[in-house]
Amino acid sequence: MTKKLIPTALAAAMLLAGCSLIPTYERPAAPVPTTYPGDPSQPAGQAAANLPWQNFFTDARLAGLIQTALVNNRDLHVSVLNIEQARAQFQIERSALFPALGVTGSGSRSSPNAYRAIDPSQGSVSSQYSVNLGFTAWELDFFGRIRALKDQALSQYLATDETRKAVQISLIASVANGWLTLLADDELLEITRQTLATRDESVRLTKLRFDNGVSSELDFQAANSLLETARASYAQQLRTRQQDENALALLLGAPVPAEATAGGTKGLDGISPMPDVPAGLPSDLLAERPDIRSAEQQLIAANANIGAARANFFPRVSLTSSIGTASTEFSGLFDRGSKAWSFAPSITLPIFNAGANIATLDSAKAGREIAVAQYEKSIQTAFREVADALAGRATLGEQVRAQRAQADAEGVRFKLSDLRYRNGIASALDLLDAQRSLFTAQQSAVTTRLLQLQNQVTLYKTLGGGWATTDKGDQGNNKADNKG
């Protein structure tokens, strides 16, 4: 009878396993306009999310740094390990759907022997030995509670995998921006060195004129003040350059190699150009941004949690069953006639728990609303980031051109002022003002060019670029994919 009863129970459990109390998931509408502001032009080219980073960052020096970071960066390592943890949690939740089989053995001896009063032939010590194979408290998932928890864990795992991609995107962009900053630092240091040499010459010439009574001490002290200002600026730039290198080394997880900033005499203009990428439509971000996909998986997990909370209102049916052998003598444990079995189904029906189940369901529903708000916020944040980068692409080019033209004009002005001063036509104040304006204009031109290049990197990042790789791949990315 028992052999027929157990398969019947298993069949009933499988038949009822299709019941699910998880609400039907519907993706919330994107709370952003359908187009980006300004109706930006769309350059031809591959979408950023499908453009491998090796094809966007084509400068060999930068590519080497990115590969180093993908192998050594600790934040990326943590994100990969988070995937392993989420995967293990999913396996834990999934395992509850299946009975856990185990073998148990037990033996006991006690005195006095309670059976001796019935059978005087028995000794004063009672013995009992058994070996059983079976499962304990296997919950039949009639109302989908366990499957809802399994679905929640799966969505959490998928969200963690998307988070790893978002971390990689951010890491690649940060390395690129850090490298560009170092190149700009070197360019600014070179400008300051040239300015120091020019102002030192001005001080020497002004001192000579002052000693010969041609100019006043006011001119000499003004020239000396500008020289010391340049020296202070140089010291500050040296400190900033070292700090920027330290920041890049942290991203790389290794020292910055000297060749990473060597090999080019043109500074920022000597790097391999980065291609312009089309912005597409805001709706494309839902599929191209890993952080948005991660937020949606978190929403799906919160939705599944409601199903588990609803199932708490329904009965839980558990099965405990075993088959084995039992004997009062250890030597007769496996003799004929020692067979033993048990089948013990149980049902738990919630009647009163002081509103705990209702509170659990309310908490799950609130958690879903929180996840909806976070998902919508991630879309709005992505829209703003792309719109800002597009605004930069539309205006920074003209700003760079204008400031370079200003620096060229200030350079001509300085040469003319220097010539006039040497010939006694212009005053020292005119020369010093020209020096000051030239230095400021040259620094502004470099800083704006840096902003333009970093804006290209930011646009590539905000459009979801940086997690795709070439077929050949790179060591760090393959390592992350294998673990994730």
Side-chain angles (χ1 to χ4, degrees), residues 27-359:
R27 174 185 286 178
V32 293
T34 56
T35 59
Y36 294 110
D39 191 22
S41 59
Q42 299 284 339
Q46 194 172 4
N50 299 324
L51 181 65
W53 67 261
Q54 296 94 333
N55 294 345
F56 186 81
F57 301 109
T58 56
D59 194 293
R61 296 171 294 171
L62 176 55
L65 294 178
I66 292 176
Q67 289 175 343
T68 300
L70 291 176
V71 173
N72 296 326
N73 183 266
R74 297 308 185 267
D75 288 335
L76 188 59
H77 284 188
V78 169
S79 67
V80 171
L81 294 174
N82 285 338
I83 295 176
E84 293 293 328
Q85 188 178 47
R87 176 189 291 168
Q89 186 62 39
F90 165 67
Q91 293 294 341
I92 292 172
E93 297 293 348
R94 181 175 178 271
S95 66
L97 289 170
F98 305 94
L101 295 177
V103 176
T104 60
S106 64
S108 66
R109 291 173 61 82
S110 62
S111 179
N113 188 353
Y115 295 99
R116 190 173 185 181
I118 302 175
D119 185 1
S121 65
Q122 294 194 19
S124 61
V125 177
S126 171
S127 301
Q128 182 68 34
Y129 303 94
S130 67
V131 176
N132 296 288
L133 170 66
F135 51 85
T136 303
W138 173 39
E139 182 178 341
L140 302 181
D141 196 28
F142 289 159
F143 302 100
R145 188 186 72 87
I146 297 177
R147 280 180 290 112
L149 294 176
K150 183 263 296 182
D151 291 345
Q152 179 193 29
L154 175 61
S155 295
Q156 293 283 3
Y157 162 67
L158 296 176
T160 306
D161 185 52
E162 295 297 343
T163 299
R164 193 273 301 170
K165 295 177 182 178
V167 170
Q168 177 175 313
I169 287 175
S170 179
L171 173 62
I172 290 175
S174 296
V175 170
N177 285 332
W179 178 70
L180 291 171
T181 300
L182 279 186
L183 294 182
D185 289 340
D186 290 341
E187 198 168 344
L188 289 172
L189 283 171
E190 180 59 29
I191 291 174
T192 306
R193 279 191 289 264
Q194 294 175 2
T195 302
L196 275 172
T198 300
R199 292 185 179 181
D200 189 63
E201 175 63 19
S202 295
V203 169
R204 187 194 65 79
L205 181 60
T206 306
K207 180 68 167 57
L208 181 63
R209 291 168 65 88
F210 171 65
D211 290 341
N212 288 276
V214 179
S215 63
S216 66
E217 185 177 0
L218 181 63
D219 293 339
F220 170 69
Q221 294 300 338
N224 197 48
S225 176
L226 276 186
L227 174 62
E228 295 304 327
T229 300
R231 285 175 177 167
S233 179
Y234 186 72
Q236 179 184 1
Q237 289 171 1
L238 282 175
R239 181 177 66 254
T240 300
R241 206 272 184 196
Q242 184 60 55
Q243 291 172 343
D244 290 338
E245 182 174 342
N246 293 339
L248 181 57
L250 177 62
L251 293 173
L252 299 180
V256 180
E259 59 271 16
T261 56
T265 59
K266 296 182 179 180
L268 294 175
D269 289 337
I271 68 174
S272 300
M274 295 174 285
D276 285 330
V277 290
L281 297 174
S283 58
D284 297 335
L285 296 177
L286 303 183
E288 294 173 349
R289 290 265 301 223
D291 58 333
I292 294 179
R293 295 201 300 267
S294 176
E296 184 174 16
Q297 288 299 330
Q298 295 285 4
L299 173 56
I300 295 174
N303 194 63
N305 195 37
I306 293 178
R310 287 176 172 176
N312 289 333
F313 290 90
F314 295 89
R316 295 187 188 180
V317 179
S318 300
L319 294 181
T320 298
S321 179
S322 66
I323 186 171
T325 179
S327 174
T328 58
E329 298 290 339
F330 184 77
S331 58
L333 192 58
F334 297 100
D335 290 347
R336 183 185 300 273
S338 62
K339 178 180 179 182
W341 58 266
S342 68
F343 178 69
S346 65
I347 182 170
T348 302
L349 178 64
I351 297 177
F352 175 76
N353 56 12
N357 287 342
I358 296 177

Side-chain angles (χ1 to χ4, degrees), residues 25-37 281-286 292 295-296 299 369-385 387:
Y25 173 73
E26 295 182 2
R27 174 185 286 178
V32 293
T34 56
T35 59
Y36 294 110
L281 297 174
S283 58
D284 297 335
L285 296 177
L286 303 183
I292 294 179
E296 184 174 16
L299 173 56
E369 295 306 312
I370 292 173
V372 169
Q374 291 173 335
Y375 172 68
E376 292 175 340
K377 178 64 180 297
S378 68
I379 297 175
Q380 292 174 337
T381 300
F383 179 87
R384 184 264 173 95
E385 290 174 348

